[in-house]
């Protein structure tokens, strides 16, 4: 029978996760801004691909199947909804910070 409690190795802090002192997140190149830009570009690419496949399917081109078109539409929809949720959370966090008493 296995224990449901996590191993002590799993809850210990990981070494090397925190950037070195004096080195900003922007200097390391892996910041929130870069992640957001990559996510927005990915969402845009998925929407363009979905639009292209939809157009090809409507024009009855042999390169687009119904399954592929529907799958691309669902992927782009999920990506867009995730982007909206992140935007809403960022706006809520900004509002919370602005309303803090100093």
């Amino acid at each position: 029978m296995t224990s449901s409690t996590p191993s002590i190795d799993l809850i210990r802090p990981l070494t090397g996760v925190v950037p070195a002192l004096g080195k900003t997140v922007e200097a390391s190149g892996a910041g929130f801004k870069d992640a957001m830009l990559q996510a927005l570009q990915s969402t845009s690419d998925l929407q363009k691909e979905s639009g292209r496949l939809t157009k090809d399917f409507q024009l009855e081109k042999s390169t687009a199947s119904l399954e592929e078109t529907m799958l691309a539409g669902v992927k782009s929809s999920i990506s867009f909804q995730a982007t909206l949720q992140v935007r809403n959370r960022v706006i809520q966090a900004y509002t919370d910070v602005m309303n803090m008493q100093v």
Side-chain angles (χ1 to χ4, degrees):
M1 179 176 215
T2 62
S3 173
S4 64
T5 59
S7 169
I8 191 69
D9 294 331
L10 296 176
I11 58 177
R12 282 190 187 138
L14 298 173
T15 58
V17 173
V18 179
L21 292 177
K23 193 174 194 184
T24 63
V25 174
E26 290 178 349
S28 66
F32 180 76
K33 177 184 169 185
D34 294 332
M36 276 303 295
L37 288 174
Q38 184 181 6
L40 289 173
Q41 185 62 45
S42 174
T43 299
S44 177
D45 292 344
L46 285 171
Q47 288 180 335
K48 286 178 186 175
E49 178 68 12
S50 175
R52 184 189 65 78
L53 286 172
T54 301
K55 182 180 174 185
D56 287 351
F57 184 76
Q58 288 174 345
L59 296 175
E60 298 179 359
K61 291 187 177 179
S62 63
T63 59
S65 67
L66 177 61
E67 296 83 11
E68 186 180 14
T69 303
M70 294 299 295
L71 187 60
V74 170
K75 283 182 183 179
S76 104
S77 177
I78 290 171
S79 179
F80 184 71
Q81 292 299 321
T83 303
L84 283 179
Q85 291 299 320
V86 170
R87 182 207 61 174
N88 291 342
R89 298 284 171 102
V90 168
I91 290 172
Q92 183 62 45
Y94 175 78
T95 304
D96 291 346
V97 169
M98 293 304 294
N99 290 332
M100 282 183 183
Q101 297 288 330
V102 181

